[in-house]
Amino acid sequence: MEKEKTCPACEHRTKMRTEEETRLMVNRLNRIEGQVRGIRRMVENHAYCPDILIQVSAITAALNSFNKVLLAEHIRTCVSEDIKEGKEETIDELVTVLRKLMK
């Protein structure tokens, strides 16, 4: 498992992901991007509002699913490793993120 490290150029935290993790995440995002483009075409073609709303709901569900996968991976790797290393501030960071996600 690759370690999280700090980017020296911009001094923020980064997460090194395996090629497989990255590929899976990008594939999900590409599908979502395609769905958004589809909605734009629907609007441009004057599609019926409920049809557009259903597609927006599908995108919302896809983004929620992406968030769940990303959050689970974050907890399993970053949070778990930081706690083992005694970095308790990571728990506060996680709580802050969860509060923002649950608005």
Side-chain angles (χ1 to χ4, degrees), residues 15-59:
K15 166 75 165 117
M16 298 305 295
R17 293 178 179 83
T18 65
E19 286 184 32
E20 178 70 4
E21 285 176 304
T22 300
R23 184 184 64 76
L24 291 172
M25 292 176 75
V26 168
N27 284 347
R28 280 177 175 259
L29 292 171
N30 285 339
R31 283 193 301 273
I32 293 167
E33 182 181 11
Q35 289 175 295
V36 171
R37 283 194 308 268
I39 289 176
R40 185 185 65 227
R41 283 190 301 275
M42 291 175 79
V43 170
E44 292 169 348
N45 293 324
H46 309 287
Y48 190 53
C49 297
D51 295 337
I52 296 171
L53 290 167
I54 289 168
Q55 292 307 309
V56 170
S57 178
I59 291 172

Side-chain angles (χ1 to χ4, degrees), residues 15 21 64-80 94 97-98 101:
K15 166 75 165 117
E21 285 176 304
N64 285 337
S65 177
F66 180 86
N67 262 356
K68 288 175 191 175
V69 169
L70 184 59
L71 180 60
E73 186 61 23
H74 177 61
I75 292 169
R76 282 189 199 101
T77 59
C78 304
V79 174
S80 175
L94 178 60
V97 168
L98 289 172
L101 290 174

